[in-house]
Amino acid sequence: MIEVRNLTKTADTGTHRVEILKGVNLTIPRGQFAAIMGPSGSGKSTLLGLMAGLDAPTSGQVILDGVDISGMEEDALAAIRGRKIGFVFQSYQLIPTLTAEENVLLPYELNGNGAGDGAKRAIELLEAVGLGDRRDHYPVQLSGGEQQRVALARAFMARPPILMADEPTGNLDSANGSHVLDLLIELNKREQTTLILVTHDAELASRADRCIRLRDGQIDSDESR
Ligand code: ADP
Ligand code: MG
């Protein structure tokens, strides 16, 4: 379960301060599929990054399975992230010097596993996202949508209990977008993975258990079905 309490984030641009998040409260139970929507600039990516412990809040707390991760040391945070969270960045953040398959394997190896069985799962995941024949390609040899699917396979690799993704279907055509969404939902159902997805995609949001809308750094609406 993830609890967000009175979360604020302020950025200092040098000339002025911008309040990006203005006191957000949320509880996301285990196994929920939550979509975060809202206009560009409303604070969606910032909220997701704070929930994943990728950035520290200005004030407030993020509590992950009972542990307050706000203000935790980077080493401890990295260990928690490695065990609990798969994260797909809006900009993919693949490592340019590694192939698709090596990119997918990396977090698994960083968690202290040997490459052995990992390679089999990495290949299965690349096949599942439709890139079985691209596993030896480097990121520059892949389109934006293909890189996005490699980033998803990488996030699935360590079987994280929580998967967070920023616009996971944003650069995919509708067929690939639907396919990725099916994969995410299958993961949510089969492995009880908590899914928190930032999206503009109405189809994706319509299939979520819950839709949280942000506006100007605050929750504008929060609807469950
Ligand atoms: P969204 O993902 O909803 O489009 P973001 O969370 O990326 O929104 O950003 C929310 C607002 O905060 C935007 O106006 C953005 O320009 C601003 N912002 C984000 N990060 C910073 C930063 N490091 N410094 C200054 N402003 C920022
Ligand atoms: Mg964003």
Side-chain angles (χ1 to χ4, degrees):
M1 181 163 98
I2 303 171
E3 283 178 79
V4 168
R5 291 192 192 149
N6 251 317
L7 205 64
T8 75
K9 182 71 181 177
T10 307
D12 210 327
T13 63
T15 52
H16 58 288
R17 287 163 72 78
V18 187
E19 282 187 84
I20 304 174
L21 293 178
K22 303 172 183 168
V24 172
N25 288 286
L26 269 180
T27 300
I28 300 184
R30 180 183 308 269
Q32 187 167 66
F33 171 10
I36 300 177
M37 300 190 82
S40 176
S42 57
K44 305 180 297 294
S45 296
T46 303
L47 176 62
L48 200 68
L50 291 173
M51 287 198 286
L54 292 165
D55 191 10
T58 302
S59 67
Q61 291 154 333
V62 175
I63 300 164
L64 207 60
D65 292 334
V67 178
D68 185 356
I69 64 163
S70 32
M72 213 179 234
E73 296 285 338
E74 180 50 35
D75 286 358
L77 255 180
I80 289 185
R81 275 200 307 265
R83 268 185 284 120
K84 300 207 171 188
I85 301 174
F87 197 93
V88 184
F89 294 90
Q90 200 164 8
S91 54
Y92 328 130
Q93 306 214 357
L94 299 179
I95 299 190
T97 54
L98 299 180
T99 64
E101 183 181 335
E102 290 164 348
N103 265 285
V104 174
L105 264 171
L106 186 70
Y108 182 78
E109 292 176 357
L110 287 178
N111 266 355
N113 302 292
D117 341 316
K120 187 162 165 268
R121 179 166 164 83
I123 292 166
E124 282 167 6
L125 285 170
L126 284 168
E127 279 165 0
V129 298
L131 294 174
D133 57 349
R134 298 281 198 282
R135 56 193 236 223
D136 296 325
H137 285 51
Y138 289 91
V140 295
Q141 300 171 312
L142 299 169
S143 70
E146 288 167 343
Q147 290 182 48
Q148 188 159 35
R149 285 180 281 154
V150 174
L152 273 163
R154 177 177 62 181
F156 291 162
M157 186 66 202
R159 301 180 200 276
I162 303 164
L163 188 97
M164 299 185 189
D166 202 345
E167 305 270 5
T169 58
N171 285 297
L172 303 181
D173 58 39
S174 65
N176 275 315
S178 289
H179 183 60
V180 159
L181 181 55
D182 290 342
L183 270 174
L184 287 164
I185 290 173
E186 189 195 315
L187 192 77
N188 170 248
K189 299 269 179 294
R190 192 187 55 207
E191 299 190 20
Q192 278 290 295
T193 307
T194 306
L195 281 185
I196 307 176
L197 309 182
V198 167
T199 190
H200 283 109
D201 181 339
E203 184 202 343
L204 191 160
S206 74
R207 292 175 69 183
D209 301 323
R210 176 177 182 185
C211 183
I212 299 155
R213 281 176 197 278
L214 290 186
R215 175 175 296 277
D216 293 332
Q218 290 175 308
I219 293 182
D220 191 41
S221 67
D222 184 350
E223 288 169 9
S224 295
R225 101 183 73 241

